[in-house]
Every structure is written in C-alpha cells, then in structure tokens.
C-alpha cells in the first residue's frame, strides 16, 4: 500500500488565502447591501426599474395607435430624425370591443390615448429629478442639479430620436413634447421661474444699486450680444446671416443665477455681490428677451413668407426696445398695485383659507401680467413680472397671513418648472445629436460641432470678462460700488440656463412652424431647420458647460478671492449663538433625565446619533444640572439620573477628585 502523500504547504496557504478573500468579498458585499438598505437606495432602484419596465411594455394596441399618429406627427414635427411609423391601417384598430368611432368610421379612441401619453414625460422627469436630487444632496453636493437633469434629458432625447430604438410610452411622449409651440414654452415656464427670483431680491439694495444694474443689463447686454454675434458670424462655418447671429448673441446674453445664488447664500457672501448677480440676471434676462424679439423678427423676415417677421431698422429697433422695456415696467407696476389690493382685502390672520387664496392671487398675477405684457400689449413679459414682484415685496409683504406658505409654494413651483425645462432642453439637444448617426437629413450634429462648441465656451467666458472689466470704471462709481474681486467672480459666475434654453426652444419651434407653411421649398426648409438645430445645440452645450465647469468651481473661487471671509462681528455672533444653543440643548437633556422613561437611555448610543453630545464635558453637564436645580421649585425638584452618562464623561483627574 503506497504511503499517503502529505498535502503541499503552498497549496494549503493558497487555499486559506482564497477562502479569506471570498470571506472578505462576502463581508464587503454585505456591508454594501446594508448601506444601500439604510440609505433607501434599493427603493429608488425599484422605482426606476418599474418605470423603465412600464415604458418598455407598451401593448400592441398602443403601438398601433402611436404608429397611426406618427404619420400626422411628421407633418408638423419633421425635425425629429426618428421614423415614427411606416404605414398603418386606421380601420383595423380595436380597443377591447369599445367601438369608439366617428362618423367617418375612424377610431376616436386613439385621440384619448395620445393625450394620456403626453402626460407621461413631465411627471417621469419630475420623479427622475427626485432621484437626482437625493443622490446629489447626499454624495455630490457640488454638482449643479440642473446640469444633471439636462444630461438625463439628453439621454431620453437620444432614445427618442433614434429610429432603431423601439417605440414605447416614454419616447412617444418625448416626441410630443419636443414639438411644443414656442410661445407655450415662454408662457408656461418663465413667469413661474422669474417671480420667486424677483420676490427674493432685497428691494432696498435693488433701489440703491439700480444705476449699476442698468449698466449691467442694457449696455452690457447689447455689447455682449454684438461680440458673440461677431464670433458666430466670422468663425462658425454654418453660413448664418448677421441677424441670426445677433439672435444667437441675445440668447447667450441671458444669465442664470440659480446655482450661483444658492452657493452665495450657503457661504455667506456679501449682500452687495448677491444683489449684483441676482439683479443683473433678472434685468439682463429682460433685455435679452427684448433683443431676441427684435432680431428674431429680422431673421424670420429673411425666409420670405408674407406676414412672418419684420424688417426692423436700427432706429425702429431702439424705439421698440424702449417701448417693450418701459411698457413692461408700467404693466408690472399696475398688476403689482392690483395684487396689493387683493392681498389687503384677504388679510385675515386667523383664516387659513384666506392664506391659501393669497398665494393663488400672487400665482395668478404672475402669469396674467406676463401674458398681458407679452401677448396682449406686445411688451416685455419678464420686466413686467420683475416689477410686479418687486411691488408686492416692497409694499405687501406684511399683508401675507402665512409668508412661509407662499415662500414654500413658489419654491415648489420653481423646482418643478426648472426640472421640466432643463429635461425638455436636454431632450431636444439629445434628439438633435441623434440625427448625426442616421444620415436622414443635413441638419445633424457632427464631431466638428463639438470642437466649435468648446471654442464658443472659451469665447463666451472671454467676452464676459471683457464686458465686466470694460464697464468696471463706470460701475465702480455708481450705486453701492464694487471691487475687482467681485468683478472677477461676476465674470466667472455668469452661467447660462433657464431663459437661454427657453429662447432657443422658441426659435427652434417657430422655425419649424414657419417653414412648414405652404410656399416654402424643401431646400429652404432644410436650410433654416439646420440653422435652428445648430443654434440650439450650441446654446444647450454652453448651458451644460457653464453649469458643470463654472458652477462647480465657483465655490473654491469665491473662497480664494476672500469674498466669504467672516468679519470679526460675524465670528463673535456665531460664537455666541453656538454657546446659547449648546446650553439650551444640554438643559433640555437634563430635564429629560429626570423622567423615568429616559433614565435607561445609553449615552454612548446618543453620542453616535447626535453629534453634538460627542463634545460635552463633565463640567458642562454639572453646570446644566446646577442650573436646572436653581430654576426648579424646591418641593417639585427631581434630580436627574446620571448613571448612564457619567461613565462617558469622567476623566482620570475627576475620578481622583
């Protein structure tokens, strides 16, 4: 019988190492799953997968009805490169024997389905926004929320614009939203977005710095529009006319202070810098829209369609500018005065229903003043909303029964509209990019366009610096003044966002609408659609780059420039506040320890759950106990049970004593 061979020692070592590695992997996986469960990330994954599964499992009847709608959709939204349907038989659609038919025998149930699928896109992106906010607020606080929403919308647009992707509820709804009318975009999004920003302005500082803000908003916007137009006219190879380049420059002149304003509030920036950034943004948004209206009319006049556009001369253009601006201001003041009267009549502090109606009144006024000024009077709706909100803030703030209710309502409105607008802008941007892979039309987004986009980003920042420092000798002597550090941050913090994307969507939609009219040749239609597609791609790319690059790096720049260095008074106030807060928390904790139900609470667990208790000393605790004994009546005084607390606070010296 041969002797048994002893196992090799190296094999035993490798086996033990392999077992240890597997155990380590298993333990790490268990910790990851536990962390996911604690953070509720598993619920978000389930929600996203459920939404995705619902969107991918559209019934055959729904696909047939969507295909029937596709041929009609192509006639008014041919910008999409997606081939929605090849052919359909309208008479073969059946919906469970319902038999919904019109007089000519065609199904009318399809129309109901079309309306229902249109609702999916906005609420899907709002739920997507909740997930994005959760991840960013916990793990990537420095990344702007709107930038990630734009990127996610871009991926939705890529799927909707790809002819090879299967038709589902989400892509169908996205196709419908990307063909939305341009004026509807302005009427739905801008009033709700602008009213809260206008209402949050410090009216006193706004009045003091109005001369500076006027220079920032009007001469500087016109100069920036012209310089950006020169870059587009002489550098871009797209063959844009100078009027279209001026339209492009006016779109990029609109800045978005949302991401920077949040940063300034968090870091405690000077009030002067806050009013310069927020006030300039609101006024230059109004000026940019006015210039956009003037130059877009000149651009549409080039198409040659009767009744479309206008050949506005320079003298007429300046007259139009002042008419739109001053007219919008007067309409805003009038609506603000009317809203004040309503708020005064509803000023009953004990009535919760009146507080709700007050919020409804301000919300309604914001949209009505924009509609009246922009559509009925032909003036600037943005400036009208601005002065309406300022009037309410200056004279009607004390009329609110519940100011917190109004503030929270407008914050919710701004969140919903910002999420939907940036997702819609990203969807249109992704749809344009998807055309570059299909060779269906000539208005595609190519690799060379990315290079021009990077070049444009450099020029946009350079122009911003040149304008701010070019007007610096004037602005430093007006209003509340400024300094070179604030000028540097203003130059770098000029982000592009909501208003620019909305204007680009308007131009894109109106170009599609006007060129679909009879009498416009296919060559002309393709040419002008290529212009608007390229322009929207550039505007969307600049908004994305400025939000991600400038927005995320603005915080370190603000600290580097020394604009958030706390003053001696601020440090003293904060120190006193923390001392009073700590004393109050500890006093309430000692009171709780006098109750039997809290006497067995482990202080070690409390230190883990409440970080404040990690720094408590024995001396502080005894001071709180003595203070509680002095303030309590002698007969009703109950000493706190410190048996579960003192072992964590004793030091070696205190034990000896």
């Amino acid at each position: 019988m041969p002797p048994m061979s002893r196992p090799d020692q190296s094999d035993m070592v490798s086996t033990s190492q392999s077992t240890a590695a597997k155990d380590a992997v298993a333990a790490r996986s268990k910790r990851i799953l536990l962390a996911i469960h604690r953070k509720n990330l598993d619920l978000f994954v389930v929600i996203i997968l459920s939404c995705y599964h619902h969107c991918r499992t559209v019934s055959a009847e729904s696909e047939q009805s969507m295909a029937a709608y596709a041929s009609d959709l192509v006639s008014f939204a041919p910008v999409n490169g997606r081939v929605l349907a090849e052919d359909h038989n309208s008479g073969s659609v059946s919906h469970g024997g319902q038999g919904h038919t019109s007089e000519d025998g065609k199904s009318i149930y399809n129309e109901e389905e079309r309306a229902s699928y249109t609702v999916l896109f906005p609420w899907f992106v709002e739920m997507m926004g909740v997930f994005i906010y959760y991840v960013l607020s916990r793990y990537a606080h420095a990344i702007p929320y709107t930038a990630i929403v734009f990127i996610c919308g871009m991926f939705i647009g890529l799927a909707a614009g790809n002819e090879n992707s299967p038709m589902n509820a989400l892509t169908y709804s996205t196709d419908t939203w990307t063909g939305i009318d341009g004026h509807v975009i302005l009427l739905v999004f801008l009033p709700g977005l602008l009213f809260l920003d206008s209402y949050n302005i410090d009216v006193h500082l706004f009045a003091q710095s109005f001369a500076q803000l006027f220079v920032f908003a009007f001469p500087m916007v016109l100069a920036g529009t012209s310089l950006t137009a020169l870059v587009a006219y002489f550098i871009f190879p797209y063959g844009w006319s100078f009027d279209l380049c001026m339209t492009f420059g006016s779109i990029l002149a609109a800045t978005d202070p949302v991401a920077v304003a949040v940063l300034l509030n968090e870091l405690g920036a000077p009030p002067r810098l806050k009013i310069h950034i927020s006030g300039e943004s609101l006024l230059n948004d109004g000026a940019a829209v006015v210039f956009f209206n003037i130059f877009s009319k000149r651009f549409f006049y080039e198409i040659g369609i009767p009744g479309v556009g206008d050949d506005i001369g320079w003298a007429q253009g300046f007259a139009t500018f002042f008419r739109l601006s001053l007219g919008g201001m007067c309409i805003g003041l009038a609506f603000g005065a009317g809203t004040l009267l309503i708020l005064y009549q509803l000023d009953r502090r004990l009535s919760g229903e009146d507080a709700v109606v007050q919020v409804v009144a301000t919300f309604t006024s914001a949209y009505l003043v924009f509609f009246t000024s922009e559509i009925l009077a032909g003036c600037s709706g943005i400036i009208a909303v601005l002065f309406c909100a300022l009037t309410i803030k200056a004279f009607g703030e004390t009329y609110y029964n519940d100011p917190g209710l109004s503030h929270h309502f407008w914050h919710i409105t701004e969140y919903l509209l910002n999420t939907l607008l940036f997702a819609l802008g990203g969807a249109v941007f992704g749809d344009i990019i998807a055309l570059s892979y299909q060779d269906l039309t000539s208005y595609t987004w190519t690799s060379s366009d990315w290079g021009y986009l990077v070049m444009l980003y450099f020029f946009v920042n350079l122009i911003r610096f040149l304008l701010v420092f070019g007007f610096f000798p004037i602005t430093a002597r007006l209003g509340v003044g400024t300094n070179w550090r604030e000028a540097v941050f203003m130059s770098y913090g000029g982000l592009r966002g909501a208003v620019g994307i909305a204007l680009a969507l308007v131009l894109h939609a109106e170009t599609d609408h006007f060129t679909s009219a009879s009498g416009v040749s296919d060559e002309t239609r393709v040419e002008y659609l290529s212009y608007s597609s390229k322009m929207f791609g550039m505007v969307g790319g600049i908004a994305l780059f400025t939000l991600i690059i400038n927005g995320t790096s603005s915080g370190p720049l603000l600290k580097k420039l020394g604009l958030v260095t706390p003053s001696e008074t601020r440090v003293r106030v904060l120190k006193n506040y923390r001392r009073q807060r700590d004393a109050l928390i500890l006093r309430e904790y000692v009171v709780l320890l006098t109750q039997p139900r809290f006497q067995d609470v482990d202080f070690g667990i409390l230190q883990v759950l409440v970080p404040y208790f990690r720094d408590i000393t024995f001396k502080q605790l005894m001071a709180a106990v003595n203070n509680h004994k002095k303030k309590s009546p002698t007969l009703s005084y109950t000493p706190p049970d410190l048996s579960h607390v003192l072992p964590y606070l004793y030091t070696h010296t205190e034990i000896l004593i």
Side-chain angles (χ1 to χ4, degrees), residues 64 264 323 339 345 411 489 502:
Q64 191 169 3
L264 295 177
R323 178 179 62 82
T339 308
Q345 296 297 328
H411 266 296
F489 186 80

Side-chain angles (χ1 to χ4, degrees), residues 11 47 69 500:
D11 294 339
I47 291 172
Y69 179 57

Side-chain angles (χ1 to χ4, degrees), residues 160-178:
N162 186 6
E163 63 175 349
N164 297 320
S165 64
M167 175 70 76
N168 56 55
L170 181 59
T171 55
Y172 173 78
S173 181
T174 304
D175 282 332
T176 305
W177 273 85
T178 53

Side-chain angles (χ1 to χ4, degrees), residues 30 39 125 199 286 371 387 417 427 524 539 541:
K30 186 176 181 180
K39 295 291 186 179
V125 299
Y199 188 82
F371 178 84
F387 280 92
L417 294 177
T524 302
V539 173

